[in-house]
C-alpha cells in the first residue's frame, strides 16, 4: 500500500490536467513523449472522435512527427489551426465532391446508367449543361458511367451569340477530351414553313439529332442502341417551373409529377440539384484550381438573353411566379420536388393496379 500511494503522488506531480488524473487513477506514472505537447483530455478526445477528415473540416492541420520510429510513423499529432483561406479551400473541395456523389447516387438509385453505359450529354453552354459536362467527366473517371460524347445544337436563332455558344461548347469538349457532335438547325425557317411553335420545333429537332448521335456513339463503342443513354441537364428549377405551367393550363394527376428521371433513353440525373447549386459548383471548381474553361470575358458558362423575355410562357413562370412563391417558402424547390416524387410513386402504383 505504501508503494502504491508513493506512485500516485509521483503521478500527481507529473503530467497535466485530466491526463494526470487518469494516470493517478491507474496508479501509473505518466511520462510525456519527447517533442509532443500534451493536450488536455477533452480536446484530444474530441479530435480523435472527429477522425482525419473530420479534423480537417474542423480546421486542424495534421502534422507527422519528424524522426518518428518506424512503428510510430503512421501516427499523427495535431498542429496549429488552419488559416481561414485553407479552411475555405477545404470546404470548397468537399462541396465539389458532395455534388458529384449526389448525382452518382441519383444515377444509381434511379437506375439511369451503369459503368458500361455509353452516355450522350446534351450541352447548350448554359450553366446547367456545362455543370453536367464536368460532373459526367468526373463520374467517368470514377468509372460510374461508360464512354461519353457531347451534342450541341445551334438553333441559329440568336445570330452571333448562337455561334459563340457553339464555340464555347467546342472548347469545353476539347478541354475534357470528350467527342463532340455539333449540328446546326435553322429553326426560324422551319417555324415559318410549318407555322408552328418555336420552342416545340426546336425541341423536336434537338431530340431527333440526339437520337442520331446516340446511335453513332453506340455503334462506335460496339453496344446495342437500347443500352445507350442521353443525359439532359434539367434541374429542380425546371421541374418546379413545369409544375406551375401545368397547373395553369391544366393537367391530369399524372401530369403533376412534372419531369421524370427517365423516359426511355432520355435521363435527367440533375433533377435533385438546383440551378444555384450547379453554378456554385462551377465557381468552386474554378477557385479550387480544377480544370475549367472560361471564355475571353472570364465567363464559366453562356447566358441566353432570350431567357429574360416574358413573352415565353416558361420565362414568365420563372421570373414572376416562382420567385414570389419562394418568398413564402424558401425551400420551395425541395418541398415541391418531394411532393412531385410522391405523386409519381402513387401514379405508378395506380397504373399497376
Amino acid at each position: 500500500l505504501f508503494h502504491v500511494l508513493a506512485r500516485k503522488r509521483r503521478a500527481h506531480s507529473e503530467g497535466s490536467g485530466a491526463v494526470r488524473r487518469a494516470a493517478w487513477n491507474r496508479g501509473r506514472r505518466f511520462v510525456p513523449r519527447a517533442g509532443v505537447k500534451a493536450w488536455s483530455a477533452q480536446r484530444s478526445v474530441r479530435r480523435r472522435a472527429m477522425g482525419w477528415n473530420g479534423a480537417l473540416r474542423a480546421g486542424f492541420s495534421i502534422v507527422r512527427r519528424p524522426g518518428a520510429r518506424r512503428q510510430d510513423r503512421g501516427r499523427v499529432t495535431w498542429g496549429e489551426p488552419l488559416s481561414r483561406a485553407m479552411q475555405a479551400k477545404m470546404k470548397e473541395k468537399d462541396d465539389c465532391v458532395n455534388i458529384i456523389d449526389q448525382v452518382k447516387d441519383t444515377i444509381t438509385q434511379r437506375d439511369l446508367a451503369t459503368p458500361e453505359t455509353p452516355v450522350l450529354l446534351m450541352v447548350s453552354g448554359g450553366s446547367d449543361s456545362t455543370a453536367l459536362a464536368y460532373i459526367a467527366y468526373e463520374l467517368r473517371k470514377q468509372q460510374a458511367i461508360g464512354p461519353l460524347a457531347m451534342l450541341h445544337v445551334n438553333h441559329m436563332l440568336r445570330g452571333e451569340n448562337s455561334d459563340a455558344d457553339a464555340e464555347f461548347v467546342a472548347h469545353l469538349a476539347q478541354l475534357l477530351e470528350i467527342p463532340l457532335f455539333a449540328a446546326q438547325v435553322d429553326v426560324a425557317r422551319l417555324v415559318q414553313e410549318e407555322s408552328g411553335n418555336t420552342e416545340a420545333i426546336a425541341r423536336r429537332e434537338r431530340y431527333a439529332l440526339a437520337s442520331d448521335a446516340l446511335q453513332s456513339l453506340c455503334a462506335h463503342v460496339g453496344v446495342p442502341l437500347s443500352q445507350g443513354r442521353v443525359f439532359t441537364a434539367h434541374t429542380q428549377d425546371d421541374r418546379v417551373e413545369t409544375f406551375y405551367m401545368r397547373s395553369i393550363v391544366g393537367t391530369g394527376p399524372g401530369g403533376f409529377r412534372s419531369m421524370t428521371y427517365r423516359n426511355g433513353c432520355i435521363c435527367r440525373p440533375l433533377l435533385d440539384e438546383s440551378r444555384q447549386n450547379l453554378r456554385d459548383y462551377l465557381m468552386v471548381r474554378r477557385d479550387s484550381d480544377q480544370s475549367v474553361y472560361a471564355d475571353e470575358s472570364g465567363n464559366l458558362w453562356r447566358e441566353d438573353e432570350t431567357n429574360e423575355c416574358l413573352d415565353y410562357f416558361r420565362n414568365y413562370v420563372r421570373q414572376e411566379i416562382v420567385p414570389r412563391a419562394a418568398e413564402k417558402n424558401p425551400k420551395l424547390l425541395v418541398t415541391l420536388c418531394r411532393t412531385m416524387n410522391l405523386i409519381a410513386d402513387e401514379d405508378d402504383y395506380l397504373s399497376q393496379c
Side-chain angles (χ1 to χ4, degrees):
L1 178 60
F2 174 82
H3 292 293
V4 172
L5 291 175
R7 285 198 299 270
K8 289 184 177 180
R9 282 196 297 269
R10 285 197 299 269
H12 182 70
S13 63
E14 300 173 8
S16 64
V19 178
R20 187 170 61 237
R21 290 192 296 273
W24 173 276
N25 294 332
R26 293 194 303 268
R28 298 174 183 174
R29 182 167 180 260
F30 172 72
V31 181
R33 288 181 294 174
V36 180
K37 182 178 180 181
W39 293 84
S40 69
Q42 182 179 0
R43 297 185 72 180
S44 298
V45 169
R46 183 171 68 88
R47 291 179 180 186
R48 284 198 297 271
M50 285 189 297
W52 185 291
N53 293 329
L56 284 178
R57 287 193 294 270
F60 293 99
S61 59
I62 293 179
V63 182
R64 294 189 181 276
R65 292 187 292 111
R69 294 176 300 173
R70 183 178 182 87
Q71 59 269 30
D72 291 339
R73 287 178 184 172
R75 302 177 184 176
V76 295
T77 58
W78 302 102
E80 296 301 322
L82 295 173
S83 65
R84 292 184 180 273
M86 184 61 70
Q87 291 182 43
K89 192 169 184 178
M90 290 296 300
K91 184 180 182 301
E92 291 174 352
K93 186 175 181 180
D94 286 345
D95 291 340
C96 283
V97 174
N98 288 341
I99 194 170
I100 293 172
D101 287 343
Q102 290 168 8
V103 175
K104 185 177 180 179
D105 289 343
T106 299
I107 292 174
T108 302
Q109 295 170 6
R110 301 290 176 175
D111 193 24
L112 303 185
T114 67
E116 294 78 28
T117 302
V119 175
L120 177 71
L121 309 173
M122 299 188 70
V123 182
S124 65
S127 58
D128 303 344
S129 61
T130 300
L132 173 65
Y134 288 118
I135 293 171
Y137 169 75
E138 296 295 339
L139 292 176
R140 174 56 179 162
K141 289 199 301 184
Q142 297 178 14
Q143 297 183 347
I145 56 178
L148 298 175
M150 291 169 55
L151 169 66
H152 176 77
V153 180
N154 183 349
H155 297 113
M156 304 174 65
L157 291 172
R158 297 162 42 240
E160 294 181 355
N161 289 331
S162 293
D163 296 336
D165 292 347
E167 183 180 358
F168 179 92
V169 175
H171 284 293
L172 177 63
Q174 183 179 7
L175 172 69
L176 301 179
E177 298 182 346
I178 298 177
L180 172 65
F181 294 91
Q184 287 187 344
V185 179
D186 192 346
V187 173
R189 181 178 61 81
L190 293 177
V191 170
Q192 186 176 7
E193 293 176 354
E194 302 177 16
S195 300
N197 177 269
T198 301
E199 290 182 323
I201 292 177
R203 186 184 306 108
R204 182 195 68 193
E205 295 300 317
R206 189 164 58 248
Y207 280 102
L209 289 167
S211 178
D212 294 341
L214 181 62
Q215 185 174 0
S216 177
L217 172 61
C218 291
H220 177 73
V221 299
V223 301
L225 178 60
S226 59
Q227 295 184 14
R229 297 290 182 267
V230 176
F231 277 12
T232 67
H234 293 103
T235 64
Q236 287 180 333
D237 299 73
D238 297 303
R239 197 178 185 191
V240 168
E241 291 161 11
T242 301
F243 177 86
Y244 279 113
M245 291 169 67
R246 292 181 178 179
S247 299
I248 293 173
V249 301
T251 184
F256 283 116
R257 68 192 301 167
S258 190
M259 298 178 175
T260 59
Y261 288 87
R262 178 179 171 185
N263 183 14
C265 67
I266 307 298
C267 300
R268 302 176 178 91
L270 303 184
L271 277 188
D272 293 330
E273 304 296 332
S274 69
R275 179 172 295 116
Q276 188 58 51
N277 283 348
L278 295 176
R279 292 184 174 184
D280 291 342
Y281 166 73
L282 293 176
M283 291 184 284
V284 165
R285 188 179 178 91
R286 175 197 59 194
D287 296 339
S288 58
D289 298 327
Q290 299 185 59
S291 57
V292 64
Y293 174 72
D295 62 15
E296 296 178 353
S297 301
N299 299 317
L300 301 178
W301 63 83
R302 295 284 299 170
E303 290 286 359
D304 185 349
E305 63 277 5
T306 60
N307 288 337
E308 303 298 325
C309 179
L310 298 184
D311 293 339
Y312 295 103
F313 188 22
R314 179 173 293 274
N315 291 347
Y316 173 78
V317 171
R318 177 181 300 170
Q319 301 291 340
E320 298 292 333
I321 296 179
V322 174
R324 296 193 178 188
E327 292 177 0
K328 300 296 183 180
N329 181 8
K331 296 184 178 180
L332 178 71
L333 297 181
V334 175
T335 302
L336 276 185
C337 287
R338 183 170 60 245
T339 301
M340 286 183 276
N341 285 338
L342 292 174
I343 293 174
D345 292 340
E346 292 177 356
D347 188 59
D348 290 340
Y349 175 78
L350 291 175
S351 63
Q352 295 173 1
C353 296

